[in-house]
Amino acid sequence: NRLKADTLVMARPTLNDVYEWDYTEVGNLISRVTEDGVDELGLGGKRLITTSNTDVIPRGEIYAMTSPEFAGSAFELGDPRFWMQKKKDLLRMSSWFYSGFNLGNIKSVAKIVLADEE
């Protein structure tokens, strides 16, 4: 019950909403970013992962996750596969990879739903 969030995962439209926050909502984070710059895409000292697929993570939802060692396991389900076809001056390629993830600790993920102000 005392795990700290390490990473935030959200859809790109939610991040665009966050970029509209002003000084009263984020405090001196704006001055720190202005003075020091941003090394890695992050928010509030947390690593930030975004997706453009709002079917997976809808707009207004943010998932906070703890460090990977407390979350679970990731597995490779076979080797990466590649396919290529060359026909005259046309080259077609495809690759795919199957992987799995096991969330072994249900307390390692939290769901945050942003309230609509309207």
Side-chain angles (χ1 to χ4, degrees):
N1 289 334
R2 296 174 193 245
L3 296 174
K4 293 183 180 181
D6 179 65
T7 305
L8 300 175
V9 183
M10 67 181 75
R12 193 53 127 157
T14 305
L15 181 61
N16 292 340
D17 292 342
V18 169
Y19 284 151
E20 294 177 5
W21 292 351
D22 62 14
Y23 183 80
T24 61
E25 295 166 309
V26 292
N28 68 356
L29 175 64
I30 293 174
S31 0
R32 215 169 352 143
V33 168
T34 304
E35 294 169 6
D36 302 334
V38 178
D39 293 332
E40 177 183 358
L41 188 58
L43 180 64
K46 313 286 185 242
R47 196 173 81 190
L48 183 60
I49 299 172
T50 61
T51 178
S52 59
N53 188 343
T54 55
D55 292 336
V56 175
I57 300 179
R59 182 181 193 153
E61 287 185 9
I62 301 172
Y63 288 87
M65 299 170 25
T66 190
S67 301
E69 59 266 16
F70 298 112
S73 305
F75 304 98
E76 295 178 9
L77 305 175
D79 295 327
R81 302 285 186 151
F82 300 96
W83 174 84
M84 187 183 313
Q85 180 186 45
K86 182 180 181 270
K87 197 176 211 182
K88 293 187 180 183
D89 63 345
L90 180 65
L91 181 64
R92 295 178 6 171
M93 295 185 292
S94 180
S95 66
W96 60 95
F97 175 72
Y98 295 107
S99 64
F101 181 77
N102 171 12
L103 185 61
N105 181 359
I106 61 170
K107 294 182 179 182
S108 65
V109 177
K111 179 179 177 182
I112 303 164
V113 178
L114 301 177
D116 191 5
E117 294 181 16
E118 295 176 29

